[in-house]
Amino acid sequence: MVTKNIKFIHKKRFWAGLLLAQFLLFLTFSKLKPMISFFESFFEIQKSIHQLLFSWVPFSSGDILYVLLGFFLLYHIIKCFKKKGRNKSLLKILLAANIFYFAYQIFWGMLYFQTPVIKKLSSQEKPTVTKAKVLALRYLERCKQTRESLKEDKNGVFVITDLQAIQNEILLQQSKLPSFISGKKAPGINSFKPSLFKNVMSFTGILGYYNPFTAEAQYNSELPSTFLPFTSAHESSHQFGFAREQEANFVGYLLGINSKNAELRYSTEYFTLKSLLGFIFDEDPAFVKAALLHYSPAMKRDRAYEKAFVLKHQGVLDDFFAFTNNLFLKSNQQEGSITYSYFIDLLQNYEQ
């Protein structure tokens, strides 16, 4: 019995030490440009393989993977409370943590340390509220114009007519990204998947997510139509290799803003307008209130539907996931989830 305990202690220390060693190793890699370039190249290879493996599956393989992982952890956590089998379960948890952490870092985590997109733009001025107001008025007019041609439901709210066409347009626009923004090759593989967790996502405020283990761009199919096209463009930007949230917003903006698909263009223009107004609000709430009053009647109906959707799904889960997402973003050298300044920074400098 004593021998078994000694062996367990040595194994536990080994796997715990290995996890710490991985953390320090990847922390060192994050400071080395040649290693970041290596992981960027590796991402292109593994993404292509994963898309070939999983894109043809009609449901979300990534969601199934997370469900299995959840059951595995729950089973072994429960076993840890029982004397019999406790040591084996604890070792399995440590082993799984090592595998998961290693796979996450090589498939995705290191991409957070790529050269920021802002450094690729010729202009790198700080965003200003004055410039944001000019852009907000411009995008308000664009939204009004684009909204006129879109289909509505019986309540006069914008509805998507062909999500598949939007997805294909996003893939097409990936190949048209400016070379100074991205030299990445557009794969042209449709790996957009409606998440199996759509009900949970609605109550957590999660619009979509990129699964680095299957290279799927997941989206919440319950979202209002104003959200869905741009959310798809945003997640496809992650799929394209842009890890930072606000950079994925900016690349999603580039994918949608000049699209010939009016539904994608309106969703992009509307997201941009809301981001600009959110940026302006702290300094000049009166301007934002005036802008909202100048929404077209159709845009006001869309906004009311969005607000009703959000209010319907607010709760403890929403607050919890907002808090944890904030921690995750900041741990990866990003702004919190409710800040707009980096996206506005990219937008203003790109426009300039």
Side-chain angles (χ1 to χ4, degrees):
M1 186 70 178
V2 175
T3 305
K4 284 185 178 180
N5 284 337
I6 291 173
K7 285 183 178 179
F8 166 71
I9 291 170
H10 284 311
K11 288 180 179 178
K12 184 176 72 171
R13 285 177 176 173
F14 171 78
W15 289 113
L18 184 60
L19 189 60
L20 177 60
Q22 283 197 67
F23 175 79
L24 295 174
L25 180 65
F26 285 113
L27 181 62
T28 302
F29 285 164
S30 70
K31 312 293 183 185
L32 304 174
K33 286 187 178 181
M35 290 307 303
I36 299 303
S37 296
F38 167 79
F39 283 111
E40 286 183 85
S41 300
F42 180 74
F43 173 79
E44 296 300 316
I45 298 170
Q46 65 86 8
K47 178 186 70 176
S48 299
I49 295 172
H50 286 178
Q51 286 187 332
L52 289 173
L53 288 174
F54 299 108
S55 63
W56 60 273
V57 181
F59 53 85
S60 171
S61 304
D63 285 354
I64 298 298
L65 177 66
Y66 285 153
V67 168
L68 294 175
L69 179 61
F71 278 125
F72 171 85
L73 289 174
L74 182 62
Y75 173 78
H76 286 290
I77 288 171
I78 292 172
K79 290 273 285 185
C80 284
F81 288 99
K82 299 177 181 179
K83 191 172 182 180
K84 186 179 179 181
R86 177 184 299 165
N87 291 347
K88 287 184 178 179
S89 288
L90 187 53
L91 283 176
K92 287 180 179 179
I93 290 173
L94 285 170
L95 174 61
N98 272 277
I99 294 171
F100 182 85
Y101 182 76
F102 180 77
Y104 173 79
Q105 290 294 354
I106 65 170
F107 290 162
W108 185 244
M110 288 292 100
L111 295 186
Y112 284 107
F113 302 94
Q114 296 176 97
T115 302
V117 171
I118 190 67
K119 292 187 177 179
K120 300 177 182 179
L121 302 178
S122 57
S123 172
Q124 296 180 22
E125 296 180 5
K126 289 292 182 183
T128 66
V129 170
T130 301
K131 291 178 182 178
K133 288 179 180 178
V134 174
L135 288 175
L137 294 176
R138 182 191 305 173
Y139 280 99
L140 175 58
E141 292 307 312
R142 289 188 63 160
C143 282
K144 287 180 181 179
Q145 185 175 353
T146 307
R147 180 62 178 82
E148 291 176 0
S149 63
L150 301 179
K151 187 176 179 181
E152 300 178 342
D153 64 12
K154 62 181 181 181
N155 298 313
V157 177
F158 161 53
V159 289
I160 292 171
T161 58
D162 191 345
L163 185 57
Q164 179 80 38
I166 291 172
Q167 293 169 351
N168 290 337
E169 174 68 10
I170 290 170
L171 296 176
L172 174 65
Q173 290 298 323
Q174 282 186 349
S175 64
K176 298 180 179 180
L177 280 176
S179 57
F180 64 89
I181 297 292
S182 173
K184 304 176 190 293
K185 183 180 179 182
I189 298 175
N190 189 325
S191 195
F192 295 94
K193 300 288 183 69
S195 177
L196 303 177
F197 305 139
K198 60 184 181 181
N199 294 324
V200 176
M201 292 173 76
S202 294
F203 281 98
T204 57
I206 298 173
L207 308 183
Y209 76 96
Y210 172 69
N211 192 308
F213 304 103
T214 58
E216 295 169 314
Q218 313 277 357
Y219 61 88
N220 177 3
S221 57
E222 288 189 343
L223 290 174
S225 291
T226 45
F227 283 127
L228 197 48
F230 184 78
T231 295
S232 298
H234 171 98
E235 299 308 331
S236 82
S237 301
H238 285 318
Q239 206 173 35
F240 206 45
F242 293 91
R244 298 182 183 95
E245 284 300 305
Q246 297 300 335
E247 290 185 354
N249 278 340
F250 177 65
V251 174
Y253 160 85
L254 294 177
L255 296 176
I257 199 61
N258 294 313
S259 170
K260 292 181 180 179
N261 185 297
E263 294 174 349
L264 173 59
R265 192 170 66 252
Y266 173 62
S267 182
T268 304
E269 291 168 347
Y270 193 40
F271 169 82
T272 306
L273 174 61
K274 288 185 292 186
S275 298
L276 286 161
L277 294 179
F279 176 73
I280 295 165
F281 184 79
D282 285 342
E283 186 166 318
D284 193 346
F287 176 91
V288 175
K289 291 175 183 178
L292 293 176
L293 290 174
H294 283 85
Y295 274 25
S296 68
M299 288 177 65
K300 288 179 180 178
R301 292 193 297 271
D302 293 344
R303 181 171 181 265
Y305 183 75
E306 278 189 357
K307 288 178 67 177
F309 178 85
V310 172
L311 288 172
K312 179 182 176 181
H313 296 96
Q314 277 185 339
V316 176
L317 276 178
D318 187 36
D319 294 337
F320 172 74
F321 275 86
F323 173 73
T324 54
N325 188 46
N326 235 27
L327 289 179
F328 174 78
L329 291 175
K330 290 178 179 178
S331 70
N332 285 288
Q333 299 182 328
Q334 301 180 81
E335 297 175 311
S337 56
I338 58 170
T339 57
Y340 303 95
S341 60
Y342 186 34
F343 171 70
I344 303 303
D345 196 352
L346 290 165
L347 176 65
Q348 287 190 6
N349 281 289
Y350 178 77
E351 290 275 0
Q352 189 161 308

